[in-house]
Amino acid sequence: MRVALVVNGEPLEAEIWEGESLLYTLREHLGLPGSKNACEQGECGSCSVLLDGQLVCACLVLAAQADGHEILTVEGLGSDGELHPVQEAFAATGAVQCGFCTPGLVMATVDLLARVPEPSDDEIREALSGNLCRCTGYAKIFDAVRLAAGT
Ligand code: FES
Ligand code: FES
């Protein structure tokens, strides 16, 4: 089947298998490997994207379900060659180790700060609870969120 998506503001189409995940479509058909593929079962958050403004695990959404919808991936955050402030904050605080979890954490942080501009530590913990960092660098990730929030 064919799907038409708006990805990072750009209308894109892909020929897909009906059972294929949105994550697979983004990575393998649309040339957007920023969303990472780790568990493929909604456990790690490394594939997090915004679907019509809602944070979702792209591995749990069928590409067919996203047909006609808007998706924002980590590739779409920056503009004019500049990083998004949340990406800047992750880099500035050293919150990136191997970096595998980073795109998902950045997307979860963007989602959090859009909803709660000055989150408490508990609100940060809750918002990032679906994102696993195998390098266990959570202290610096918290620093990054606080820096991005200006708190
Ligand atoms: S790859 Fe989607 S939650 Fe882990
Ligand atoms: S920085 Fe390596 S998994 Fe988080």
Side-chain angles (χ1 to χ4, degrees):
M1 69 176 287
R2 197 157 186 84
V3 289
L5 314 169
V6 179
V7 185
N8 302 330
E10 185 182 356
L12 297 174
E13 293 191 10
E15 192 66 37
I16 64 158
W17 169 57
E18 289 81 350
E20 172 173 319
S21 72
L22 174 60
L23 178 62
Y24 188 90
T25 301
L26 290 171
R27 290 178 57 85
E28 306 299 333
H29 292 301
L30 299 178
L32 293 166
S35 311
K36 298 301 180 227
N37 180 356
C39 71
E40 287 190 281
Q41 50 188 334
E43 296 290 342
C44 75
S46 66
C47 62
S48 300
V49 299
L50 296 182
L51 173 61
D52 292 339
Q54 295 284 317
L55 189 70
V56 298
C57 292
C59 70
L60 295 183
V61 176
L62 291 175
Q65 290 175 293
D67 189 25
H69 294 267
E70 293 196 18
I71 294 119
L72 180 66
T73 74
V74 71
E75 289 96 337
L77 287 182
S79 57
D80 299 328
E82 301 289 325
L83 293 176
H84 184 280
V86 170
Q87 293 171 306
E88 293 276 14
F90 270 70
T93 55
V96 180
Q97 294 182 70
C98 80
F100 202 82
C101 67
T102 307
L105 279 159
V106 165
M107 295 308 294
T109 302
V110 167
D111 174 63
L112 168 65
L113 297 183
R115 293 182 289 105
V116 187
E118 295 186 5
S120 66
D121 281 358
D122 281 349
E123 287 170 323
I124 296 172
R125 195 169 289 112
E126 170 71 23
L128 302 187
S129 61
N131 294 78
L132 301 182
C133 175
R134 294 153 192 82
C135 301
T136 67
Y138 292 105
K140 291 194 179 297
I141 290 166
F142 267 63
D143 289 345
V145 179
R146 292 189 198 102
L147 178 61
T151 55

